[in-house]
Amino acid sequence: MTGIHAVAAHAHAPALGSPLAHGVGSRHDLPLSPFYAYAGAFAALLVSFLALGLLWSSSRFRGDLAGRPLPAALQRVADAPATRTALRVLGSTAALVVLLHLLLGPDDPDRNPAPGALYVLLWVGLVPASLLLGPVWRLLNPLRALHALRPPRSPRPLPAALGIRPAAAGLLLFTWLELVAPANTSSSTLLIALTVHTGVQLLGAARYGDRWFAHADPFEVYSSLLARLSPLGRRADGRLVLRSPFHGLDSTPQTPGLVATVCVLLGSTAYDGLSDNPRWSTTLQTSSLGPTSTATLGLLAAVALAAACYGLCAGALRLMNPAVTTPLTSFAHSLLPIALGYLVAHYFSLLVTEGPRTVIMAAGTDNALAPAPFLGPAGLATLQVVAIVTGHVLGVVAAHDRSVRLFPPHRAVAGQLPLFALMIAYTLGGIGLLIA
């Protein structure tokens, strides 16, 4: 049972076979016609691709040069040391509360809010928080507060090739903890995981300074990437601005590890969808390797498949357009809306049911009931498909704008056909996991 799903299973809510029990539900029970889901998704992608090819002949996104400045008074408040200190204290206090619950609370997710705080409020809650407010975990991160108590006097420069590869590895380990690890809601397991995470992050920061967190803290990188789609952002000159999310997406740094990080998000979410399939559950129980080893291989295979598909696409782009020397990183930003669509489709209902229950438990109520979902099975199924399709359409738009910037005009449309094929494959795969 996955970490998130274990929390949901212990709730006094519908059983996991119900589509309302957790973020994804049982796809085989969703009241959704496969034909209409596939046909609608394909039509949306095809129409958007053709419309962009006909109407969008030059790049319109300006990255971190775009945006309408917010009032200067609002920026002063946002950048004030008192504001940043208050946010750091808030994050540290929340972390301390979770730690105390793990150390002193009952080892039962029905009565201890710590598993829900980690798997729901942090992992899932960072999605809407980062979309609305920007890279919030950078301001709340309690490890930054600990590091600030004794920063290194002469930190070493970060290796240029490091990029955000450590964060990609950290995200993969966290998703393994969430989706695969046995007893992953027990206090001892979570304490060990948090101790290892804290030790690695503080040792890295002691060597390289606080820049380490922006490259290696998985939650900080996760929040920062999602914040690329926030209407709030910073221009290159530091001004706080309102902007089209496409401008923020276009400003995503082409840093080493970006592709790996996005593929971990795509692959792990795809595996989460697969893990609820009864046939996969049977495979886990009957495998000669044992359920944990088999699930680990399944998670790695899902991430590898997402990466291989994108790698093949990048290779085809390079063959068709030799002038594009970095196709892997040049178009990786277009995968972020797709990853966001998968996250919304899989975890929305979990956040709105298990999130409040976790908060109620933290306030001192044992065996708190999860609130009734406000979407029925049909509404949830529609939301899931719309989230996936919308994410892919946004990805098509982002990829097209980058294509007309990088490719000669006569190749701008034909040159992105491999990307379009990839978007279709990801879309059909994502919907297939919902309704299979």
Side-chain angles (χ1 to χ4, degrees), residues 89-393:
V89 169
L90 176 62
S92 300
T93 301
L96 181 60
V97 170
V98 171
L99 180 61
L100 290 175
H101 277 290
L102 287 175
L103 291 172
L104 305 176
D107 194 6
D108 178 1
D110 270 347
R111 302 167 57 206
N112 193 324
L118 178 63
Y119 292 125
V120 181
L121 297 182
L122 176 59
W123 178 241
V124 186
L126 272 179
V127 176
S130 301
L131 288 177
L132 292 174
L133 302 173
V136 291
W137 191 246
R138 179 181 177 85
L139 301 175
L140 295 170
N141 192 347
L143 298 183
R144 280 185 176 269
L146 279 176
H147 170 74
L149 296 176
R150 193 174 180 180
R153 294 181 179 179
S154 301
R156 299 186 181 185
L158 283 166
L162 186 70
I164 56 173
R165 289 188 175 114
L171 284 171
L172 182 59
L173 290 173
F174 176 79
T175 55
W176 180 86
L177 176 69
E178 175 208 346
L179 300 171
V180 175
N184 50 8
T185 59
S186 73
S187 296
S188 58
T189 299
L190 292 178
L191 281 170
I192 291 171
L194 290 175
T195 299
V196 171
H197 171 70
T198 300
V200 168
Q201 295 302 316
L202 292 181
L203 285 174
R207 183 180 181 89
Y208 296 110
D210 61 1
R211 291 168 297 178
W212 168 261
F213 296 108
H215 292 258
D217 187 300
F219 302 108
E220 191 163 309
V221 170
Y222 172 64
S223 174
S224 297
L225 288 177
L226 292 174
R228 295 290 169 183
L229 287 159
S230 172
L232 287 177
R234 296 270 181 178
R235 281 194 324 214
D237 60 4
R239 286 301 302 271
L240 192 63
V241 295
L242 282 177
R243 65 187 181 187
S244 163
F246 283 115
H247 292 301
L249 191 60
D250 187 64
S251 68
T252 304
Q254 297 180 33
T255 183
L258 175 62
V259 174
T261 303
V262 179
C263 287
V264 167
L265 293 176
L266 289 172
S268 62
T269 311
Y271 177 77
D272 181 49
L274 174 66
S275 66
D276 194 54
N277 188 291
R279 286 170 290 186
W280 179 248
S281 299
T282 300
T283 300
L284 293 180
Q285 297 303 319
T286 58
S287 172
S288 60
L289 297 175
T292 301
S293 297
T294 304
T296 300
L297 292 176
L299 173 62
L300 294 176
V303 174
L305 180 61
C309 289
Y310 183 67
L312 289 173
C313 171
L317 285 171
R318 183 73 171 84
L319 289 174
M320 297 175 65
N321 307 275
V324 180
T325 57
T326 57
L328 274 174
T329 54
S330 293
F331 292 93
H333 71 297
S334 66
L335 300 183
L336 286 175
I338 299 173
L340 174 61
Y342 286 167
L343 289 167
V344 172
H346 283 250
Y347 297 134
F348 168 80
S349 67
L350 180 78
L351 180 62
V352 298
T353 54
E354 289 301 310
R357 193 176 80 91
T358 298
V359 173
I360 293 171
M361 272 198 293
T365 301
D366 287 343
N367 297 302
L369 296 177
F374 61 87
L375 285 179
L380 178 60
T382 301
L383 172 68
Q384 290 173 325
V385 173
V386 168
I388 288 177
V389 174
T390 300
H392 283 80
V393 170

Side-chain angles (χ1 to χ4, degrees), residues 56-70:
W56 199 305
S57 59
S58 60
S59 177
R60 303 183 183 185
F61 303 147
R62 297 187 293 123
D64 57 8
L65 300 177
R68 177 175 297 179
L70 290 172

